[in-house]
PDB file of all heavy atoms in Angstrom:
ATOM      1  N   LEU A 942     -19.818 -11.351  -1.229  1.00 81.00           N
ATOM      2  CA  LEU A 942     -18.673 -10.730  -1.917  1.00 81.00           C
ATOM      3  C   LEU A 942     -17.455 -10.588  -0.992  1.00 81.00           C
ATOM      4  O   LEU A 942     -16.308 -10.902  -1.405  1.00 81.00           O
ATOM      5  CB  LEU A 942     -19.128  -9.375  -2.462  1.00 81.00           C
ATOM      6  CG  LEU A 942     -18.053  -8.646  -3.258  1.00 81.00           C
ATOM      7  CD1 LEU A 942     -17.641  -9.457  -4.474  1.00 81.00           C
ATOM      8  CD2 LEU A 942     -18.572  -7.267  -3.748  1.00 81.00           C
ATOM      9  N   GLY A 943     -17.694 -10.077   0.196  1.00 83.00           N
ATOM     10  CA  GLY A 943     -16.559  -9.899   1.119  1.00 83.00           C
ATOM     11  C   GLY A 943     -15.833 -11.191   1.469  1.00 83.00           C
ATOM     12  O   GLY A 943     -14.595 -11.222   1.482  1.00 83.00           O
ATOM     13  N   GLU A 944     -16.607 -12.252   1.669  1.00 86.00           N
ATOM     14  CA  GLU A 944     -16.027 -13.546   1.977  1.00 86.00           C
ATOM     15  C   GLU A 944     -15.193 -14.091   0.817  1.00 86.00           C
ATOM     16  O   GLU A 944     -14.093 -14.610   1.023  1.00 86.00           O
ATOM     17  CB  GLU A 944     -17.144 -14.580   2.337  1.00 86.00           C
ATOM     18  CG  GLU A 944     -17.839 -14.302   3.664  1.00 86.00           C
ATOM     19  CD  GLU A 944     -16.951 -14.537   4.850  1.00 86.00           C
ATOM     20  OE1 GLU A 944     -15.920 -15.276   4.719  1.00 86.00           O
ATOM     21  OE2 GLU A 944     -17.199 -13.991   5.942  1.00 86.00           O
ATOM     22  N   VAL A 945     -15.715 -13.874  -0.405  1.00 86.00           N
ATOM     23  CA  VAL A 945     -14.977 -14.386  -1.590  1.00 86.00           C
ATOM     24  C   VAL A 945     -13.684 -13.607  -1.784  1.00 86.00           C
ATOM     25  O   VAL A 945     -12.658 -14.189  -2.067  1.00 86.00           O
ATOM     26  CB  VAL A 945     -15.900 -14.289  -2.802  1.00 86.00           C
ATOM     27  CG1 VAL A 945     -15.097 -14.526  -4.110  1.00 86.00           C
ATOM     28  CG2 VAL A 945     -17.033 -15.316  -2.763  1.00 86.00           C
ATOM     29  N   LEU A 946     -13.769 -12.258  -1.625  1.00 88.00           N
ATOM     30  CA  LEU A 946     -12.570 -11.483  -1.785  1.00 88.00           C
ATOM     31  C   LEU A 946     -11.493 -11.808  -0.724  1.00 88.00           C
ATOM     32  O   LEU A 946     -10.312 -11.903  -1.016  1.00 88.00           O
ATOM     33  CB  LEU A 946     -12.954 -10.001  -1.767  1.00 88.00           C
ATOM     34  CG  LEU A 946     -13.763  -9.450  -2.914  1.00 88.00           C
ATOM     35  CD1 LEU A 946     -14.127  -8.011  -2.722  1.00 88.00           C
ATOM     36  CD2 LEU A 946     -13.025  -9.588  -4.261  1.00 88.00           C
ATOM     37  N   ALA A 947     -11.956 -11.939   0.511  1.00 88.00           N
ATOM     38  CA  ALA A 947     -11.017 -12.286   1.578  1.00 88.00           C
ATOM     39  C   ALA A 947     -10.345 -13.625   1.380  1.00 88.00           C
ATOM     40  O   ALA A 947      -9.137 -13.828   1.540  1.00 88.00           O
ATOM     41  CB  ALA A 947     -11.694 -12.246   2.944  1.00 88.00           C
ATOM     42  N   THR A 948     -11.165 -14.608   0.869  1.00 89.00           N
ATOM     43  CA  THR A 948     -10.621 -15.909   0.614  1.00 89.00           C
ATOM     44  C   THR A 948      -9.594 -15.887  -0.534  1.00 89.00           C
ATOM     45  O   THR A 948      -8.612 -16.568  -0.544  1.00 89.00           O
ATOM     46  CB  THR A 948     -11.748 -16.932   0.285  1.00 89.00           C
ATOM     47  OG1 THR A 948     -12.742 -16.914   1.334  1.00 89.00           O
ATOM     48  CG2 THR A 948     -11.223 -18.335   0.093  1.00 89.00           C
ATOM     49  N   ALA A 949      -9.968 -15.038  -1.575  1.00 90.00           N
ATOM     50  CA  ALA A 949      -9.027 -14.973  -2.697  1.00 90.00           C
ATOM     51  C   ALA A 949      -7.686 -14.353  -2.244  1.00 90.00           C
ATOM     52  O   ALA A 949      -6.600 -14.831  -2.690  1.00 90.00           O
ATOM     53  CB  ALA A 949      -9.632 -14.057  -3.756  1.00 90.00           C
ATOM     54  N   VAL A 950      -7.665 -13.389  -1.382  1.00 90.00           N
ATOM     55  CA  VAL A 950      -6.446 -12.777  -0.852  1.00 90.00           C
ATOM     56  C   VAL A 950      -5.636 -13.793  -0.063  1.00 90.00           C
ATOM     57  O   VAL A 950      -4.429 -13.899  -0.217  1.00 90.00           O
ATOM     58  CB  VAL A 950      -6.762 -11.527  -0.023  1.00 90.00           C
ATOM     59  CG1 VAL A 950      -5.510 -11.020   0.679  1.00 90.00           C
ATOM     60  CG2 VAL A 950      -7.294 -10.429  -0.929  1.00 90.00           C
ATOM     61  N   LEU A 951      -6.371 -14.586   0.821  1.00 89.00           N
ATOM     62  CA  LEU A 951      -5.695 -15.571   1.638  1.00 89.00           C
ATOM     63  C   LEU A 951      -5.139 -16.705   0.778  1.00 89.00           C
ATOM     64  O   LEU A 951      -4.110 -17.276   1.085  1.00 89.00           O
ATOM     65  CB  LEU A 951      -6.620 -16.119   2.715  1.00 89.00           C
ATOM     66  CG  LEU A 951      -7.019 -15.080   3.791  1.00 89.00           C
ATOM     67  CD1 LEU A 951      -8.065 -15.676   4.700  1.00 89.00           C
ATOM     68  CD2 LEU A 951      -5.803 -14.639   4.569  1.00 89.00           C
ATOM     69  N   ALA A 952      -5.834 -17.039  -0.300  1.00 89.00           N
ATOM     70  CA  ALA A 952      -5.418 -18.138  -1.132  1.00 89.00           C
ATOM     71  C   ALA A 952      -4.238 -17.729  -2.065  1.00 89.00           C
ATOM     72  O   ALA A 952      -3.440 -18.578  -2.422  1.00 89.00           O
ATOM     73  CB  ALA A 952      -6.606 -18.649  -1.986  1.00 89.00           C
ATOM     74  N   PHE A 953      -4.203 -16.431  -2.450  1.00 90.00           N
ATOM     75  CA  PHE A 953      -3.155 -15.947  -3.372  1.00 90.00           C
ATOM     76  C   PHE A 953      -2.484 -14.746  -2.766  1.00 90.00           C
ATOM     77  O   PHE A 953      -2.633 -13.611  -3.263  1.00 90.00           O
ATOM     78  CB  PHE A 953      -3.743 -15.643  -4.713  1.00 90.00           C
ATOM     79  CG  PHE A 953      -4.347 -16.828  -5.428  1.00 90.00           C
ATOM     80  CD1 PHE A 953      -5.645 -17.202  -5.264  1.00 90.00           C
ATOM     81  CD2 PHE A 953      -3.528 -17.602  -6.266  1.00 90.00           C
ATOM     82  CE1 PHE A 953      -6.211 -18.274  -5.858  1.00 90.00           C
ATOM     83  CE2 PHE A 953      -4.050 -18.724  -6.921  1.00 90.00           C
ATOM     84  CZ  PHE A 953      -5.400 -19.067  -6.729  1.00 90.00           C
ATOM     85  N   PRO A 954      -1.771 -14.896  -1.615  1.00 90.00           N
ATOM     86  CA  PRO A 954      -1.212 -13.717  -0.911  1.00 90.00           C
ATOM     87  C   PRO A 954      -0.130 -12.996  -1.759  1.00 90.00           C
ATOM     88  O   PRO A 954       0.005 -11.799  -1.657  1.00 90.00           O
ATOM     89  CB  PRO A 954      -0.690 -14.290   0.359  1.00 90.00           C
ATOM     90  CG  PRO A 954      -0.469 -15.760   0.046  1.00 90.00           C
ATOM     91  CD  PRO A 954      -1.460 -16.130  -0.857  1.00 90.00           C
ATOM     92  N   LEU A 955       0.687 -13.772  -2.467  1.00 92.00           N
ATOM     93  CA  LEU A 955       1.754 -13.172  -3.265  1.00 92.00           C
ATOM     94  C   LEU A 955       1.177 -12.269  -4.327  1.00 92.00           C
ATOM     95  O   LEU A 955       1.672 -11.136  -4.568  1.00 92.00           O
ATOM     96  CB  LEU A 955       2.617 -14.238  -3.853  1.00 92.00           C
ATOM     97  CG  LEU A 955       3.825 -13.738  -4.689  1.00 92.00           C
ATOM     98  CD1 LEU A 955       4.739 -12.885  -3.845  1.00 92.00           C
ATOM     99  CD2 LEU A 955       4.565 -14.923  -5.306  1.00 92.00           C
ATOM    100  N   ALA A 956       0.123 -12.732  -5.037  1.00 90.00           N
ATOM    101  CA  ALA A 956      -0.513 -11.877  -6.002  1.00 90.00           C
ATOM    102  C   ALA A 956      -1.095 -10.600  -5.426  1.00 90.00           C
ATOM    103  O   ALA A 956      -0.944  -9.503  -5.975  1.00 90.00           O
ATOM    104  CB  ALA A 956      -1.621 -12.641  -6.706  1.00 90.00           C
ATOM    105  N   ALA A 957      -1.677 -10.727  -4.209  1.00 89.00           N
ATOM    106  CA  ALA A 957      -2.221  -9.558  -3.514  1.00 89.00           C
ATOM    107  C   ALA A 957      -1.092  -8.606  -3.159  1.00 89.00           C
ATOM    108  O   ALA A 957      -1.279  -7.371  -3.326  1.00 89.00           O
ATOM    109  CB  ALA A 957      -3.045  -9.991  -2.333  1.00 89.00           C
ATOM    110  N   LEU A 958       0.000  -9.132  -2.717  1.00 91.00           N
ATOM    111  CA  LEU A 958       1.152  -8.268  -2.348  1.00 91.00           C
ATOM    112  C   LEU A 958       1.696  -7.534  -3.541  1.00 91.00           C
ATOM    113  O   LEU A 958       1.965  -6.314  -3.456  1.00 91.00           O
ATOM    114  CB  LEU A 958       2.226  -9.105  -1.707  1.00 91.00           C
ATOM    115  CG  LEU A 958       3.464  -8.313  -1.257  1.00 91.00           C
ATOM    116  CD1 LEU A 958       3.142  -7.239  -0.267  1.00 91.00           C
ATOM    117  CD2 LEU A 958       4.548  -9.288  -0.680  1.00 91.00           C
ATOM    118  N   ILE A 959       1.853  -8.261  -4.652  1.00 90.00           N
ATOM    119  CA  ILE A 959       2.353  -7.581  -5.882  1.00 90.00           C
ATOM    120  C   ILE A 959       1.362  -6.519  -6.344  1.00 90.00           C
ATOM    121  O   ILE A 959       1.822  -5.424  -6.736  1.00 90.00           O
ATOM    122  CB  ILE A 959       2.587  -8.677  -6.989  1.00 90.00           C
ATOM    123  CG1 ILE A 959       3.687  -9.594  -6.574  1.00 90.00           C
ATOM    124  CG2 ILE A 959       2.854  -7.983  -8.338  1.00 90.00           C
ATOM    125  CD1 ILE A 959       3.909 -10.795  -7.501  1.00 90.00           C
ATOM    126  N   GLY A 960       0.081  -6.832  -6.260  1.00 88.00           N
ATOM    127  CA  GLY A 960      -0.888  -5.831  -6.658  1.00 88.00           C
ATOM    128  C   GLY A 960      -0.907  -4.601  -5.715  1.00 88.00           C
ATOM    129  O   GLY A 960      -1.194  -3.507  -6.137  1.00 88.00           O
ATOM    130  N   ALA A 961      -0.573  -4.807  -4.477  1.00 86.00           N
ATOM    131  CA  ALA A 961      -0.569  -3.705  -3.515  1.00 86.00           C
ATOM    132  C   ALA A 961       0.661  -2.830  -3.602  1.00 86.00           C
ATOM    133  O   ALA A 961       0.656  -1.749  -3.010  1.00 86.00           O
ATOM    134  CB  ALA A 961      -0.697  -4.290  -2.123  1.00 86.00           C
ATOM    135  N   LEU A 962       1.689  -3.261  -4.329  1.00 89.00           N
ATOM    136  CA  LEU A 962       2.926  -2.496  -4.361  1.00 89.00           C
ATOM    137  C   LEU A 962       2.769  -1.034  -4.857  1.00 89.00           C
ATOM    138  O   LEU A 962       3.340  -0.148  -4.262  1.00 89.00           O
ATOM    139  CB  LEU A 962       3.967  -3.196  -5.257  1.00 89.00           C
ATOM    140  CG  LEU A 962       4.604  -4.491  -4.634  1.00 89.00           C
ATOM    141  CD1 LEU A 962       5.507  -5.139  -5.610  1.00 89.00           C
ATOM    142  CD2 LEU A 962       5.283  -4.173  -3.397  1.00 89.00           C
ATOM    143  N   PRO A 963       2.027  -0.792  -5.934  1.00 87.00           N
ATOM    144  CA  PRO A 963       1.835   0.627  -6.293  1.00 87.00           C
ATOM    145  C   PRO A 963       1.214   1.480  -5.207  1.00 87.00           C
ATOM    146  O   PRO A 963       1.640   2.611  -4.984  1.00 87.00           O
ATOM    147  CB  PRO A 963       0.900   0.584  -7.573  1.00 87.00           C
ATOM    148  CG  PRO A 963       1.152  -0.794  -8.126  1.00 87.00           C
ATOM    149  CD  PRO A 963       1.408  -1.669  -6.904  1.00 87.00           C
ATOM    150  N   GLY A 964       0.258   0.946  -4.519  1.00 83.00           N
ATOM    151  CA  GLY A 964      -0.351   1.677  -3.352  1.00 83.00           C
ATOM    152  C   GLY A 964       0.635   1.874  -2.234  1.00 83.00           C
ATOM    153  O   GLY A 964       0.662   2.971  -1.634  1.00 83.00           O
ATOM    154  N   LEU A 965       1.452   0.850  -1.945  1.00 85.00           N
ATOM    155  CA  LEU A 965       2.432   1.025  -0.919  1.00 85.00           C
ATOM    156  C   LEU A 965       3.431   2.063  -1.291  1.00 85.00           C
ATOM    157  O   LEU A 965       3.898   2.840  -0.438  1.00 85.00           O
ATOM    158  CB  LEU A 965       3.131  -0.393  -0.689  1.00 85.00           C
ATOM    159  CG  LEU A 965       2.285  -1.461   0.047  1.00 85.00           C
ATOM    160  CD1 LEU A 965       3.089  -2.758   0.034  1.00 85.00           C
ATOM    161  CD2 LEU A 965       2.027  -1.019   1.490  1.00 85.00           C
ATOM    162  N   TRP A 966       3.878   2.048  -2.586  1.00 85.00           N
ATOM    163  CA  TRP A 966       4.873   3.040  -3.061  1.00 85.00           C
ATOM    164  C   TRP A 966       4.300   4.430  -2.908  1.00 85.00           C
ATOM    165  O   TRP A 966       4.969   5.362  -2.430  1.00 85.00           O
ATOM    166  CB  TRP A 966       5.221   2.742  -4.498  1.00 85.00           C
ATOM    167  CG  TRP A 966       6.217   3.741  -5.006  1.00 85.00           C
ATOM    168  CD1 TRP A 966       7.605   3.759  -4.880  1.00 85.00           C
ATOM    169  CD2 TRP A 966       5.893   4.899  -5.793  1.00 85.00           C
ATOM    170  NE1 TRP A 966       8.139   4.817  -5.548  1.00 85.00           N
ATOM    171  CE2 TRP A 966       7.098   5.550  -6.097  1.00 85.00           C
ATOM    172  CE3 TRP A 966       4.707   5.415  -6.212  1.00 85.00           C
ATOM    173  CZ2 TRP A 966       7.174   6.733  -6.847  1.00 85.00           C
ATOM    174  CZ3 TRP A 966       4.726   6.599  -6.976  1.00 85.00           C
ATOM    175  CH2 TRP A 966       5.917   7.243  -7.304  1.00 85.00           C
ATOM    176  N   PHE A 967       3.003   4.633  -3.249  1.00 81.00           N
ATOM    177  CA  PHE A 967       2.397   5.963  -3.221  1.00 81.00           C
ATOM    178  C   PHE A 967       2.352   6.384  -1.738  1.00 81.00           C
ATOM    179  O   PHE A 967       2.657   7.568  -1.466  1.00 81.00           O
ATOM    180  CB  PHE A 967       0.943   5.820  -3.805  1.00 81.00           C
ATOM    181  CG  PHE A 967       0.248   7.125  -3.795  1.00 81.00           C
ATOM    182  CD1 PHE A 967       0.331   7.997  -4.846  1.00 81.00           C
ATOM    183  CD2 PHE A 967      -0.592   7.488  -2.735  1.00 81.00           C
ATOM    184  CE1 PHE A 967      -0.349   9.221  -4.824  1.00 81.00           C
ATOM    185  CE2 PHE A 967      -1.269   8.681  -2.713  1.00 81.00           C
ATOM    186  CZ  PHE A 967      -1.174   9.537  -3.775  1.00 81.00           C
ATOM    187  N   ILE A 968       1.915   5.519  -0.805  1.00 80.00           N
ATOM    188  CA  ILE A 968       1.784   5.884   0.578  1.00 80.00           C
ATOM    189  C   ILE A 968       3.183   6.186   1.154  1.00 80.00           C
ATOM    190  O   ILE A 968       3.393   7.153   1.920  1.00 80.00           O
ATOM    191  CB  ILE A 968       1.070   4.821   1.384  1.00 80.00           C
ATOM    192  CG1 ILE A 968      -0.332   4.655   0.883  1.00 80.00           C
ATOM    193  CG2 ILE A 968       1.157   5.067   2.867  1.00 80.00           C
ATOM    194  CD1 ILE A 968      -1.120   3.469   1.504  1.00 80.00           C
ATOM    195  N   ALA A 969       4.145   5.365   0.837  1.00 82.00           N
ATOM    196  CA  ALA A 969       5.498   5.524   1.348  1.00 82.00           C
ATOM    197  C   ALA A 969       6.074   6.831   0.889  1.00 82.00           C
ATOM    198  O   ALA A 969       6.724   7.592   1.657  1.00 82.00           O
ATOM    199  CB  ALA A 969       6.407   4.352   0.985  1.00 82.00           C
ATOM    200  N   THR A 970       5.884   7.167  -0.428  1.00 83.00           N
ATOM    201  CA  THR A 970       6.388   8.400  -0.936  1.00 83.00           C
ATOM    202  C   THR A 970       5.731   9.603  -0.261  1.00 83.00           C
ATOM    203  O   THR A 970       6.409  10.574   0.066  1.00 83.00           O
ATOM    204  CB  THR A 970       6.151   8.466  -2.487  1.00 83.00           C
ATOM    205  OG1 THR A 970       6.796   7.323  -3.125  1.00 83.00           O
ATOM    206  CG2 THR A 970       6.657   9.787  -3.059  1.00 83.00           C
ATOM    207  N   LEU A 971       4.482   9.523  -0.106  1.00 75.00           N
ATOM    208  CA  LEU A 971       3.733  10.619   0.581  1.00 75.00           C
ATOM    209  C   LEU A 971       4.226  10.867   1.989  1.00 75.00           C
ATOM    210  O   LEU A 971       4.525  11.977   2.363  1.00 75.00           O
ATOM    211  CB  LEU A 971       2.199  10.266   0.584  1.00 75.00           C
ATOM    212  CG  LEU A 971       1.298  11.266   1.359  1.00 75.00           C
ATOM    213  CD1 LEU A 971       1.270  12.657   0.649  1.00 75.00           C
ATOM    214  CD2 LEU A 971      -0.065  10.719   1.449  1.00 75.00           C
ATOM    215  N   VAL A 972       4.393   9.733   2.732  1.00 78.00           N
ATOM    216  CA  VAL A 972       4.851   9.958   4.151  1.00 78.00           C
ATOM    217  C   VAL A 972       6.242  10.446   4.175  1.00 78.00           C
ATOM    218  O   VAL A 972       6.581  11.333   5.003  1.00 78.00           O
ATOM    219  CB  VAL A 972       4.720   8.568   4.841  1.00 78.00           C
ATOM    220  CG1 VAL A 972       5.390   8.621   6.220  1.00 78.00           C
ATOM    221  CG2 VAL A 972       3.270   8.139   4.983  1.00 78.00           C
ATOM    222  N   TYR A 973       7.132   9.924   3.275  1.00 75.00           N
ATOM    223  CA  TYR A 973       8.496  10.367   3.296  1.00 75.00           C
ATOM    224  C   TYR A 973       8.564  11.849   2.914  1.00 75.00           C
ATOM    225  O   TYR A 973       9.335  12.648   3.562  1.00 75.00           O
ATOM    226  CB  TYR A 973       9.357   9.520   2.317  1.00 75.00           C
ATOM    227  CG  TYR A 973      10.770   9.998   2.163  1.00 75.00           C
ATOM    228  CD1 TYR A 973      11.682   9.679   3.153  1.00 75.00           C
ATOM    229  CD2 TYR A 973      11.177  10.788   1.088  1.00 75.00           C
ATOM    230  CE1 TYR A 973      12.985  10.063   3.059  1.00 75.00           C
ATOM    231  CE2 TYR A 973      12.446  11.212   0.968  1.00 75.00           C
ATOM    232  CZ  TYR A 973      13.411  10.865   1.959  1.00 75.00           C
ATOM    233  OH  TYR A 973      14.668  11.231   1.848  1.00 75.00           O
ATOM    234  N   THR A 974       7.860  12.264   1.922  1.00 79.00           N
ATOM    235  CA  THR A 974       7.902  13.672   1.434  1.00 79.00           C
ATOM    236  C   THR A 974       7.420  14.590   2.558  1.00 79.00           C
ATOM    237  O   THR A 974       8.072  15.649   2.833  1.00 79.00           O
ATOM    238  CB  THR A 974       7.000  13.864   0.246  1.00 79.00           C
ATOM    239  OG1 THR A 974       7.497  12.959  -0.815  1.00 79.00           O
ATOM    240  CG2 THR A 974       7.100  15.331  -0.263  1.00 79.00           C
ATOM    241  N   GLN A 975       6.348  14.259   3.184  1.00 73.00           N
ATOM    242  CA  GLN A 975       5.817  15.148   4.246  1.00 73.00           C
ATOM    243  C   GLN A 975       6.742  15.138   5.460  1.00 73.00           C
ATOM    244  O   GLN A 975       6.770  16.123   6.205  1.00 73.00           O
ATOM    245  CB  GLN A 975       4.394  14.720   4.615  1.00 73.00           C
ATOM    246  CG  GLN A 975       3.410  14.825   3.482  1.00 73.00           C
ATOM    247  CD  GLN A 975       3.409  16.182   2.826  1.00 73.00           C
ATOM    248  OE1 GLN A 975       3.673  16.325   1.657  1.00 73.00           O
ATOM    249  NE2 GLN A 975       3.194  17.222   3.612  1.00 73.00           N
ATOM    250  N   ALA A 976       7.400  14.034   5.719  1.00 75.00           N
ATOM    251  CA  ALA A 976       8.286  14.000   6.817  1.00 75.00           C
ATOM    252  C   ALA A 976       9.548  14.896   6.577  1.00 75.00           C
ATOM    253  O   ALA A 976      10.064  15.478   7.561  1.00 75.00           O
ATOM    254  CB  ALA A 976       8.810  12.516   7.067  1.00 75.00           C
ATOM    255  N   MET A 977       9.928  14.979   5.342  1.00 76.00           N
ATOM    256  CA  MET A 977      11.109  15.798   5.014  1.00 76.00           C
ATOM    257  C   MET A 977      10.795  17.236   5.226  1.00 76.00           C
ATOM    258  O   MET A 977      11.602  18.020   5.691  1.00 76.00           O
ATOM    259  CB  MET A 977      11.555  15.547   3.569  1.00 76.00           C
ATOM    260  CG  MET A 977      12.140  14.109   3.343  1.00 76.00           C
ATOM    261  SD  MET A 977      13.671  13.844   4.311  1.00 76.00           S
ATOM    262  CE  MET A 977      14.772  15.055   3.523  1.00 76.00           C
ATOM    263  N   ILE A 978       9.565  17.666   4.868  1.00 75.00           N
ATOM    264  CA  ILE A 978       9.235  19.043   4.966  1.00 75.00           C
ATOM    265  C   ILE A 978       8.542  19.364   6.345  1.00 75.00           C
ATOM    266  O   ILE A 978       8.264  20.537   6.644  1.00 75.00           O
ATOM    267  CB  ILE A 978       8.277  19.522   3.856  1.00 75.00           C
ATOM    268  CG1 ILE A 978       6.966  18.746   3.953  1.00 75.00           C
ATOM    269  CG2 ILE A 978       8.936  19.368   2.465  1.00 75.00           C
ATOM    270  CD1 ILE A 978       5.986  19.236   2.863  1.00 75.00           C
ATOM    271  N   ARG A 979       8.407  18.306   7.108  1.00 70.00           N
ATOM    272  CA  ARG A 979       7.841  18.433   8.471  1.00 70.00           C
ATOM    273  C   ARG A 979       6.548  19.192   8.483  1.00 70.00           C
ATOM    274  O   ARG A 979       6.319  20.146   9.313  1.00 70.00           O
ATOM    275  CB  ARG A 979       8.890  19.139   9.373  1.00 70.00           C
ATOM    276  CG  ARG A 979      10.121  18.316   9.536  1.00 70.00           C
ATOM    277  CD  ARG A 979      11.049  18.948  10.478  1.00 70.00           C
ATOM    278  NE  ARG A 979      12.284  18.181  10.690  1.00 70.00           N
ATOM    279  CZ  ARG A 979      13.283  18.507  11.471  1.00 70.00           C
ATOM    280  NH1 ARG A 979      13.169  19.616  12.238  1.00 70.00           N
ATOM    281  NH2 ARG A 979      14.308  17.697  11.596  1.00 70.00           N
ATOM    282  N   ALA A 980       5.702  18.770   7.559  1.00 69.00           N
ATOM    283  CA  ALA A 980       4.323  19.420   7.502  1.00 69.00           C
ATOM    284  C   ALA A 980       3.371  18.323   7.027  1.00 69.00           C
ATOM    285  O   ALA A 980       3.700  17.433   6.284  1.00 69.00           O
ATOM    286  CB  ALA A 980       4.342  20.599   6.597  1.00 69.00           C
ATOM    287  N   TRP A 981       2.133  18.509   7.488  1.00 70.00           N
ATOM    288  CA  TRP A 981       1.069  17.504   7.086  1.00 70.00           C
ATOM    289  C   TRP A 981      -0.243  18.254   6.888  1.00 70.00           C
ATOM    290  O   TRP A 981      -1.130  18.242   7.714  1.00 70.00           O
ATOM    291  CB  TRP A 981       0.916  16.463   8.189  1.00 70.00           C
ATOM    292  CG  TRP A 981       0.104  15.220   7.655  1.00 70.00           C
ATOM    293  CD1 TRP A 981      -1.190  15.073   7.724  1.00 70.00           C
ATOM    294  CD2 TRP A 981       0.590  14.149   6.980  1.00 70.00           C
ATOM    295  NE1 TRP A 981      -1.591  13.928   7.214  1.00 70.00           N
ATOM    296  CE2 TRP A 981      -0.428  13.286   6.664  1.00 70.00           C
ATOM    297  CE3 TRP A 981       1.895  13.720   6.549  1.00 70.00           C
ATOM    298  CZ2 TRP A 981      -0.353  12.101   6.004  1.00 70.00           C
ATOM    299  CZ3 TRP A 981       1.983  12.552   5.885  1.00 70.00           C
ATOM    300  CH2 TRP A 981       0.897  11.699   5.650  1.00 70.00           C
TER     301      TRP A 981
END
């Protein structure tokens, strides 16, 4: 399973990047918000 998933990501990197955008947005928002209030 791990080999197949890794190969799928390497074969279709653009699709993986588009799929990762919501997660990236969530993480970026979290980091930015906590940086503004200077608390974690």
